[in-house]
Amino acid sequence: MNNQLENRISSREVAEMMETRHDTLLAKIDKVNLDFNAHKIMVVKYWIEGAYVDSKGEKRREFQITKRGCEFLAHK
């Protein structure tokens, strides 16, 4: 497996660890992305957007979050 992917965790797991809803965490990341993009900060150092298939078979958004991204979210 790609080493970069091994060093990431699903935003669903991060939301659970932070004791928050996944959709709330996604909204927080979307807001941070606006600020990062405005300041030309590379978001891939923090997370990469992707998708997963839920229990109903529907495609849903998620992010693969790096250690740096987890630390950022925990302290913001």
Side-chain angles (χ1 to χ4, degrees):
M1 181 179 268
N2 183 331
N3 193 32
Q4 276 189 332
L5 291 178
E6 289 177 12
N7 294 322
R8 296 181 190 275
I9 185 171
S10 166
S11 56
R12 293 177 288 151
E13 294 175 82
V14 173
E16 188 175 315
M17 288 186 281
M18 293 176 67
E19 298 179 348
T20 190
R21 291 173 42 110
H22 187 237
D23 62 335
T24 302
L25 180 62
L26 292 178
K28 182 177 184 175
I29 292 172
D30 288 340
K31 186 173 189 263
V32 169
N33 280 346
L34 291 174
D35 291 336
F36 279 6
N37 289 333
H39 293 92
K40 297 183 171 57
I41 297 171
M42 294 176 41
V43 297
V44 296
K45 292 182 178 182
Y46 297 86
W47 42 69
I48 295 174
E49 189 166 1
Y52 70 98
V53 177
D54 70 8
S55 60
K56 295 187 239 175
E58 296 176 358
K59 192 173 178 180
R60 304 282 183 190
R61 288 177 66 212
E62 75 171 348
F63 287 89
Q64 291 297 314
I65 302 177
T66 65
K67 181 180 177 187
R68 179 184 283 183
C70 286
E71 291 169 351
F72 179 87
L73 291 169
H75 299 298
K76 282 291 179 184

